């Protein structure tokens, strides 16, 4: 087996943190904190099926982004092209639960519209899914982390807030990987942000239904959790999920940021219970350490059908008590 470099280990841990947060948070998605506590009692664990978990688009976008970063050799134009190509293939496998804005952008890509013009004017959470791995990849270059995060955002979301949120999360992961939150705060002060952010390091006012799908709220929620648990991945993911709302994305972003920290260790029990052709730990390791590729189209299509069935089952379960 190829010996892993420090850079590869950091990237792998970022992806594993993303996958664990995503898979643990997926059954909670769309639930308010109060309803989630009634439906899912006890310690946090995988609950998608038979105490096992699967990942959603959050992890898949992170993987597609990593492969584009790896193969573009620091060329942002090539990165955009490869990321767009990866998103097209991912979209054609009919992923369940895809966001409307991301779906529109991917559909435009499939119809031959350039990645320079494929994005839609939206401030949704899509760009945040791809930002942590960019910050981990460029953990020695904050300027590149921001530039590539913004380029990634524009392919699907062109709203300035989407670019700003992606840059913030990429910078946070950069700071986490460097174990240097003070430098992160200095970089944030120089980042031109819309006044709607206020202080981006302060927690958002969370709606009773949980963290929504607005990039400002989700980014601020993720940053606040990271600051509270900078290297404690278990506690960070648990807190992110308990906030409710778009729990899988919030927890995936938090998992990616904290996972990039040198001491951000992933819970082995959670890893063992992650059973997914797309996001299983062994596959992530093969992609990062050995230069592997994503799974074949027929297998991805079959896997997405299984995930859709499980998601529908959870949807029907929510129609029943306790309320």
């Amino acid at each position: 087996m190829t010996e892993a470099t420090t850079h590869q280990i950091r990237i792998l841990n970022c992806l594993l943190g993303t996958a664990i947060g995503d898979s643990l948070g997926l059954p909670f998605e769309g639930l308010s904190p109060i309803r989630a506590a009634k439906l899912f009692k006890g310690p946090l664990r995988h609950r998608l099926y038979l105490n096992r978990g699967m990942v959603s688009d959050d992890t898949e976008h992170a993987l597609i982004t990593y492969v584009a970063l790896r193969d573009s050799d620091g060329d942002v134009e090539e990165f955009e092209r490869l990321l767009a190509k990866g998103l097209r293939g991912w979209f054609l496998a009919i992923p369940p639960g895809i966001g409307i804005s991301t779906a529109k952008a991917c559909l435009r890509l499939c119809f031959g519209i350039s990645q320079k013009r494929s994005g839609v004017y939206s401030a949704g959470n899509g760009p945040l899914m791809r930002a942590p791995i960019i910050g981990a990849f460029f953990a020695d270059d904050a300027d590149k982390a921001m530039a590539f995060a913004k380029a990634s955002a524009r392919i699907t979301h062109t709203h300035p807030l989407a670019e700003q949120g992606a840059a913030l999360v990429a910078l946070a992961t950069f700071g986490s990987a460097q174990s240097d939150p003070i430098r992160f705060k200095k970089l944030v002060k120089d980042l031109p942000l819309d006044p709607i952010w206020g202080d981006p390091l302060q927690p958002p006012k969370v709606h009773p239904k949980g963290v929504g799908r607005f990039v400002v709220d989700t980014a601020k929620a993720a940053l606040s959790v990271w600051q509270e648990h900078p290297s404690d991945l278990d506690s960070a993911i648990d807190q992110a999920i308990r906030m409710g709302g778009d729990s899988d994305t919030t927890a995936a972003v938090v998992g990616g940021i904290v996972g990039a920290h040198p001491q951000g260790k992933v819970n082995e029990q959670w890893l063992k219970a992650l059973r997914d052709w797309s996001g299983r730990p062994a596959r992530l390791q093969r992609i990062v350490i050995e230069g592997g590729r994503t799974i074949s189209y027929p297998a991805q299509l079959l896997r997405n059908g299984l995930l859709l069935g499980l998601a529908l089952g959870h949807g029907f379960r929510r129609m029943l008590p306790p309320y």
Side-chain angles (χ1 to χ4, degrees):
M1 180 179 173
T2 305
E3 185 175 351
T5 65
T6 301
H7 179 61
Q8 289 173 326
I9 291 173
R10 176 173 57 241
I11 289 170
L12 177 59
N13 286 339
C14 175
L15 286 173
L16 289 173
T18 298
I20 290 298
D22 180 16
S23 58
L24 286 167
L26 187 57
F28 291 78
E29 184 180 13
L31 293 173
S32 69
I34 294 175
R35 184 79 197 287
K38 292 179 179 180
L39 280 175
F40 302 119
K41 297 180 180 180
L44 185 64
R45 57 181 173 84
H46 286 290
R47 298 175 182 270
L48 191 65
Y49 73 101
L50 302 175
N51 296 324
R52 300 290 186 267
M54 295 178 70
V55 300
S56 71
D57 54 348
D58 302 279
T59 303
E60 292 182 318
H61 274 229
L63 274 172
I64 293 167
T65 303
Y66 167 67
V67 172
L69 288 166
R70 183 191 68 191
D71 296 347
S72 60
D73 196 26
D75 184 332
V76 70
E77 297 282 339
E78 180 66 2
F79 166 71
E80 290 173 343
R81 186 187 72 81
L82 292 174
L83 180 56
K85 178 182 177 182
L87 289 174
R88 277 196 298 268
W90 169 78
F91 180 71
L92 290 172
I94 316 177
I98 182 173
I100 294 176
S101 297
T102 300
K104 288 180 179 179
C106 288
L107 190 62
R108 289 161 67 90
L109 288 170
C110 290
F111 275 101
I113 295 176
S114 165
Q115 62 270 15
K116 299 291 186 182
R117 298 185 295 111
S118 59
V120 298
Y121 194 72
S122 167
N125 284 338
L128 299 185
M129 301 188 290
R130 304 187 290 270
I133 190 60
I134 296 174
F137 191 89
F138 292 113
D140 58 349
D141 192 329
D143 289 336
K144 277 195 172 182
M146 287 189 289
F148 276 69
K150 291 179 179 180
S152 164
R154 287 192 295 269
I155 293 176
T156 54
H157 296 65
T158 61
H159 197 293
L161 292 176
E163 290 188 35
Q164 293 165 19
L168 276 169
V169 169
L171 277 181
T173 315
F174 167 88
S176 178
Q178 294 284 344
S179 302
D180 193 354
I182 294 177
R183 186 180 180 191
F184 162 73
K185 292 177 181 179
K186 290 180 179 178
L187 289 168
V188 169
K189 288 182 180 179
D190 296 330
L191 193 64
L193 296 174
D194 189 282
I196 196 174
W197 289 93
D199 182 351
L201 304 184
Q202 290 297 315
K205 294 181 179 179
V206 179
H207 191 274
K209 292 184 178 181
V211 180
R213 298 178 184 274
F214 180 39
V215 66
V216 174
D217 291 342
T218 305
K220 292 185 71 169
L223 294 179
S224 68
V225 173
W226 164 55
Q227 290 180 93
E228 190 169 343
H229 307 286
S231 62
D232 185 350
L233 190 58
D234 288 13
S235 297
I237 288 175
D238 190 292
Q239 181 175 332
I241 291 173
R242 305 292 182 188
M243 295 173 80
D246 195 7
S247 53
D248 59 331
T249 296
T250 307
V253 173
V254 167
I257 296 172
V258 181
H261 191 282
Q263 278 76 52
K265 303 301 181 183
V266 181
N267 187 310
E268 289 295 329
Q269 290 185 329
W270 287 350
L271 281 178
K272 290 178 181 178
L274 178 52
R275 304 290 179 84
D276 189 341
W277 305 337
S278 185
R280 67 184 187 277
R283 175 175 175 256
L284 301 184
Q285 180 172 325
R286 185 175 68 251
I287 290 174
V288 176
I289 309 302
E290 302 176 18
R293 297 286 172 176
T294 55
I295 62 177
S296 65
Y297 178 80
Q300 187 71 42
L301 194 63
L302 180 62
R303 176 260 177 200
N304 287 346
L306 173 62
L307 180 58
L308 176 60
L310 292 170
L312 289 174
H314 276 268
F316 286 123
R317 169 63 186 89
R318 294 179 183 188
M319 298 171 66
L320 304 175
Y323 299 111

